[in-house]
Amino acid sequence: GNEAVIINSIEKDKYTLIPIFTDVALSAGAGTCPPDIEFASGYSYMLTDRIRSVGAQPDCIVEALITGSSMEPTIMDRSPIRIDTSKADESIREGKIYAFSVNGELKVKRLLKTATGDIIIRSDNEMYQDEIMNRKDFEQLITVIGWVFDWPPNEKW
């Protein structure tokens, strides 16, 4: 009967539909706010209240898959990450994890600033060294997609 219709409309307000992109689609500009869902490869859901509670903007969330071990042990290889693309144009917030594109390749790293305004690109995995880039090069070579605010717990069985 009508119960399903009522539940669905309540649930729709409670959850945010999140488009999932391949890193290529994300790097090619799907990481805009709001995202261009034409290139989405699927969808996931997240509680809207949870998105808002961390300071992210529900209509600007995209999901992608992180590949590689550079952010381990924080984010494991092949983990889905959620990105708030509304934070792409803001100035870098010290030590936050960002998704960005370098020559069409998706990268996920911590960004920090030096006293002189250079950008430090840091992996959580200690096997990787910091990269330091001056602000001008950073702005020319790197497209910030957004702030990475959510990833699965990384415990393995």
Side-chain angles (χ1 to χ4, degrees):
N2 284 346
E3 299 89 349
V5 174
I6 293 164
I7 289 169
N8 284 342
S9 67
I10 292 167
E11 295 299 293
K12 205 168 77 199
D13 294 341
K14 212 168 149 181
Y15 288 92
T16 295
L17 185 70
I18 299 172
I20 300 170
F21 294 103
T22 63
D23 51 0
V24 175
L26 206 54
S27 297
T32 53
C33 175
D36 184 351
I37 57 173
E38 184 188 340
F39 301 105
S41 59
Y43 293 92
S44 67
Y45 293 89
M46 190 170 185
L47 278 167
T48 305
D49 286 350
R50 178 139 182 265
I51 294 170
R52 287 202 178 103
S53 72
V54 296
Q57 201 171 313
D59 56 347
C60 296
I61 307 301
V62 296
E63 184 173 305
L65 207 62
I66 188 173
T67 52
S69 61
S70 74
M71 289 305 287
E72 292 183 0
T74 311
I75 311 175
M76 302 306 268
D77 181 26
R78 313 286 308 152
S79 288
I81 55 169
R82 306 254 170 84
I83 305 162
D84 177 359
T85 61
S86 76
K87 307 283 190 283
D89 297 332
E90 292 184 17
S91 61
I92 290 162
R93 192 170 281 192
E94 191 75 9
K96 293 286 186 201
I97 299 174
Y98 287 87
F100 52 90
S101 169
V102 185
N103 297 325
E105 193 182 343
L106 180 68
K107 302 271 189 195
V108 176
K109 308 275 184 191
R110 285 188 197 277
L111 297 180
L112 305 100
K113 283 184 282 205
T114 66
T116 56
D118 292 349
I119 309 295
I120 301 168
I121 302 167
R122 178 167 292 163
S123 300
D124 281 9
N125 187 332
E126 289 169 8
M127 306 283 282
Y128 292 74
Q129 289 189 325
D130 285 356
E131 291 175 64
I132 299 173
M133 207 178 262
N134 73 48
R135 183 93 209 177
K136 205 170 120 229
D137 288 349
F138 183 86
E139 286 168 1
Q140 283 178 341
L141 301 171
I142 290 178
T143 305
V144 176
I145 294 165
W147 167 49
V148 178
F149 71 95
D150 186 74
W151 53 86
N154 61 17
E155 190 175 62
K156 287 185 176 172
W157 188 253

